[in-house]
Amino acid sequence: MRTSLPPKRVVSLYMIIVTLLAFKFNVGYGDDDLPASIFFTIYNRLSNSEELVFECKDQSRDLGIKNIPVNEYWIFKLTKFSTQLFRCSFAWGNESHEFDVFEASRDTGSVFNCYIHESGPCVQVDRDATK
């Protein structure tokens, strides 16, 4: 029994589609071994029931000013992440603080949970999400 191979055009078209999809979804890790996407969740855990105001940015992006009511959270995703440092400023009441929530030389992983308390941030990394 003889089987026929698909025409060369079909194989070429298939390879082009697979290549384009790989670039679109940016599968794997980017340059400098940083994840292609990093997910941050900022939680307002202030005990005084105050609204948390924050702004996060790196060298090329500014996510703008956001407000989070107490015991609520805000999630954002950075794609094609290539920065070495991601910094957020937080304000509530008369307090104002700035923290490096991601630093490439210090942090690994792709999912970060940042809990904001009066004493400062507590950042937890979900290492299983990097697989």
Side-chain angles (χ1 to χ4, degrees):
M1 177 177 210
R2 186 177 171 151
T3 59
S4 62
L5 296 174
K8 287 184 180 180
R9 276 191 213 139
V10 173
V11 173
S12 296
L13 182 59
Y14 176 76
M15 290 176 66
I16 290 170
I17 290 171
V18 169
T19 302
L20 290 174
L21 286 174
F23 282 115
K24 177 173 177 36
F25 294 111
N26 198 15
V27 177
Y29 287 87
D31 294 338
D32 301 321
D33 294 326
L34 292 175
S37 298
I38 293 181
F39 297 86
F40 285 91
T41 304
I42 308 286
Y43 294 89
N44 179 351
R45 294 296 187 251
L46 298 170
S47 63
N48 58 8
S49 299
E50 290 191 81
E51 184 173 72
L52 176 66
V53 179
F54 74 96
E55 180 178 24
C56 295
K57 56 186 163 183
D58 65 8
Q59 301 95 320
S60 61
R61 286 173 270 243
D62 186 337
L63 300 178
I65 297 173
K66 309 292 181 193
N67 299 332
I68 306 175
V70 70
N71 294 321
E72 295 292 327
Y73 59 90
W74 192 74
I75 300 172
F76 57 97
K77 173 185 172 184
L78 300 173
T79 57
K80 297 180 183 173
F81 203 80
S82 62
T83 188
Q84 298 296 314
L85 180 66
F86 197 70
R87 172 164 269 219
C88 294
S89 58
F90 301 95
W92 63 89
N94 293 327
E95 298 280 332
S96 177
H97 303 277
E98 204 169 281
F99 303 104
D100 297 338
V101 294
F102 175 82
E103 188 176 335
S105 62
R106 174 191 71 199
D107 301 319
T108 59
S110 61
V111 177
F112 294 82
N113 297 306
C114 185
Y115 299 89
I116 303 299
H117 302 271
E118 286 84 353
S119 60
C122 170
V123 178
Q124 297 175 347
V125 180
D126 182 355
R127 298 193 191 287
D128 292 334
T130 61
K131 296 179 183 176

